[in-house]
């Protein structure tokens, strides 16, 4: 080998960084085997179930100041049905005023009830309201008035709510009649009788007309 410095510099410039087999093995390991091992580790981590789950620990925690219960209520509100169809038997017996009162009105108008609402058997509180008349009291009950929410459109018919109004008002001193369904067949006998009379008259007129036509002309 020449001792020329120029020759040595040229030879070193044309040689690579790998000088021996050990360096070659290290280069192969870090260039190919290490990335493969890292990729395999990531795939194993993603596919395994033994990784921390933030949702499992944070379900009961508030998110931006909103609790889980509030979020559940909002979701249920968004998912609830827009409308419902309810089929009722039109011929079922009407609920009594007392039954409607105990089911729908006792929380506010019973004892102790809520302040400001006329309670059952409180004649002093019901007196001014009775003077307004049953139609006004029924309208207030069905559509609501002041702090009282509307009672129409619930489990009972408007007529049954009216029965509850009469029950409470009469307990406070009123003499309102208990409302009932109109009798649909009340006018049927009268119509039958009025229709039978013209029919009988027409039937009697027909023989008379035929007799007159058959009589010989004088």
């Amino acid at each position: 080998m020449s001792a020329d410095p120029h020759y040595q510099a040229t030879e070193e410039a044309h040689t690579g960084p790998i000088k021996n087999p050990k360096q070659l093995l290290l280069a192969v390991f870090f260039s190919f085997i290490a990335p493969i091992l890292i990729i395999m580790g990531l795939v194993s981590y993603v596919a395994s179930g033994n990784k921390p789950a933030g949702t499992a620990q944070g379900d009961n925690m508030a998110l931006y100041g909103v609790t889980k219960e509030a979020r559940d209520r909002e979701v249920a509100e968004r998912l609830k049905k827009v409308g419902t169809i309810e089929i009722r038997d039109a011929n079922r017996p009407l609920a009594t005023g007392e039954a409607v009162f105990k089911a729908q009105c006792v929380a506010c108008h019973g004892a102790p009830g809520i302040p400001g609402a006329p309670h059952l058997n409180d004649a002093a509180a019901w007196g001014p309201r009775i003077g307004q008349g049953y139609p006004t009291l029924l309208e207030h009950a069905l559509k609501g008035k002041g702090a009282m929410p509307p009672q129409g459109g619930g489990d009972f018919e408007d007529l049954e709510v009216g029965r509850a109004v009469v029950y409470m008002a009469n307990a406070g001193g009123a003499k309102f009649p208990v409302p009932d369904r109109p009798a649909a067949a009340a006018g049927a006998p009268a119509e039958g009788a009025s229709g039978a009379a013209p029919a009988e008259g027409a039937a009697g007129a027909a023989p008379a007309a035929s007799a007159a036509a058959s009589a010989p002309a004088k």
Side-chain angles (χ1 to χ4, degrees):
M1 181 179 294
S2 175
D4 187 1
H6 178 71
Y7 176 80
Q8 293 181 355
T10 304
E11 184 179 4
E12 291 178 357
H14 288 283
T15 58
I18 300 174
K19 305 293 185 181
N20 50 52
K22 182 179 180 180
Q23 294 180 350
L24 177 62
L25 292 176
L26 291 175
V28 170
F29 177 80
F30 286 107
S31 300
F32 299 100
I33 299 177
I36 293 175
L37 293 177
I38 293 174
I39 293 173
M40 292 175 61
L42 292 174
V43 171
S44 176
Y45 172 78
V46 173
S48 67
N50 299 325
K51 54 181 178 293
T55 56
Q57 299 177 356
D59 284 343
N60 297 324
M61 298 177 63
L63 179 63
Y64 298 105
V66 181
T67 62
K68 181 178 182 297
E69 291 77 10
R71 297 197 299 272
D72 292 342
R73 285 196 301 269
E74 292 177 359
V75 172
E77 184 71 19
R78 291 194 295 268
L79 295 180
K80 73 176 183 180
K81 294 179 289 186
V82 176
T84 58
I85 298 175
E86 183 178 359
I87 300 176
R88 296 181 178 179
D89 185 6
N91 297 321
R92 68 177 178 85
L94 288 174
T96 64
E98 183 179 5
V100 179
F101 167 78
K102 290 180 179 179
Q104 194 160 321
C105 310
V106 69
C108 299
H109 296 280
I114 62 173
H119 301 153
L120 189 68
N121 297 321
D122 188 352
W126 277 102
R129 293 173 172 84
I130 293 172
Q132 297 176 357
Y134 169 73
T136 301
L137 295 179
L138 177 61
E139 182 180 2
H140 292 169
L142 295 177
K143 299 181 180 180
K145 185 178 187 299
M148 182 180 68
Q151 302 299 313
D155 296 334
F156 299 101
E157 300 178 11
D158 293 353
L159 187 59
E160 293 171 322
V161 175
R163 285 186 156 202
V165 171
V166 170
Y167 173 77
M168 291 185 288
N170 288 353
K175 301 296 181 182
F176 295 145
V178 178
D180 202 350
R181 288 196 182 103
E191 293 177 0
S194 62
E200 291 175 357
S210 60
S214 60
K218 292 181 181 180

